[in-house]
Amino acid sequence: MFRRASRLLLSFVMLMAGAAAGVGVTATAAHADSCYTWNRTLSQGSSGGDVTQLQIRVAGWVTSGERLSYDGQYGARTTAAVKKFQSAYGLAADGVAGPATFNKIYSLQDADCTPVHFSYAELNKCNSDWSGGAVSAATAKSNALRTMWKLEAMRHALGDVPITISSGFRSRACNNAVGGSATSRH
């Protein structure tokens, strides 16, 4: 909560300083973030790792029943998800990810790239190094991050109500220790 308030205050101070100096926001201006910083405006047809980072953060805003690929290709589904994200947060919903969209994302995430309302610890209560599961530790942690951003979208869509996580990743040993099913996909 303190981090989010600090970020909002910093954003406001920077905005006011720019306004006082007569500086306008350009298409490439966005405040730096310790997790990830976008350096260009993204739109349909863009591709690259920066698009993948955007897709992770807007995947929860797809139309019900659809899935957004994390493929680094800014196609029609990414455009639609960005539009829904923008609309949900009161931004101009044009489907183009620029400074306003990135600044909103920055205000929603902590330094480890998790959304401000969720943490890795919530999704991994028994095995802090993410190993011992059906997939590699890196994949398990990446899946958790993607899940948290989808939960953040759900939380906002429900009116910013808290969501309690009761279970997430479990290594095989942890799953056995808590009496989980042998076919569990935790």
Side-chain angles (χ1 to χ4, degrees):
M1 180 101 165
F2 177 73
R3 275 191 233 158
R4 184 172 186 201
S6 296
R7 283 185 184 169
L8 290 173
L9 179 60
L10 178 61
S11 295
F12 178 74
V13 169
M14 291 172 64
L15 177 66
M16 296 313 294
V23 177
V25 176
T26 66
T28 58
H31 101 274
D33 184 76
S34 58
C35 167
Y36 188 83
T37 300
W38 283 270
N39 295 312
R40 64 182 178 136
T41 296
L42 303 173
S43 60
Q44 195 156 344
S46 297
S47 63
D50 50 358
V51 174
T52 303
Q53 291 295 320
L54 176 66
Q55 289 169 327
I56 289 168
R57 289 154 181 84
V58 301
W61 293 101
V62 295
T63 300
S64 181
E66 288 186 351
R67 293 181 61 176
L68 181 62
S69 297
Y70 305 102
D71 61 3
Q73 302 297 315
Y74 204 120
R77 284 195 179 160
T78 301
T79 301
V82 169
K83 282 181 182 179
K84 286 185 177 184
F85 173 88
Q86 291 167 328
S87 179
Y89 287 102
L91 304 173
D94 59 6
V96 175
T101 301
F102 299 140
N103 281 329
K104 185 61 193 173
I105 291 170
Y106 297 145
S107 75
L108 292 172
Q109 73 185 8
D110 284 327
D112 64 354
C113 299
T114 60
V116 294
H117 298 106
F118 299 95
S119 70
Y120 284 115
E122 285 180 280
L123 272 76
N124 186 356
K125 297 179 181 179
C126 329
N127 183 352
S128 62
D129 71 0
W130 298 87
S131 64
V135 297
S136 72
T139 298
K141 191 171 182 180
S142 176
N143 289 343
L145 179 65
R146 294 169 185 201
T147 298
M148 285 185 273
W149 278 100
K150 289 179 180 179
L151 288 168
E152 185 69 27
M154 182 188 310
R155 183 183 191 281
H156 187 70
L158 293 172
D160 289 315
V161 297
I163 295 175
T164 302
I165 307 300
S166 61
S167 184
F169 172 79
R170 290 185 191 163
S171 64
R172 289 182 181 101
C174 176
N175 190 55
N176 290 339
V178 299
S181 167
T183 59
S184 172
R185 298 289 296 170
H186 275 88

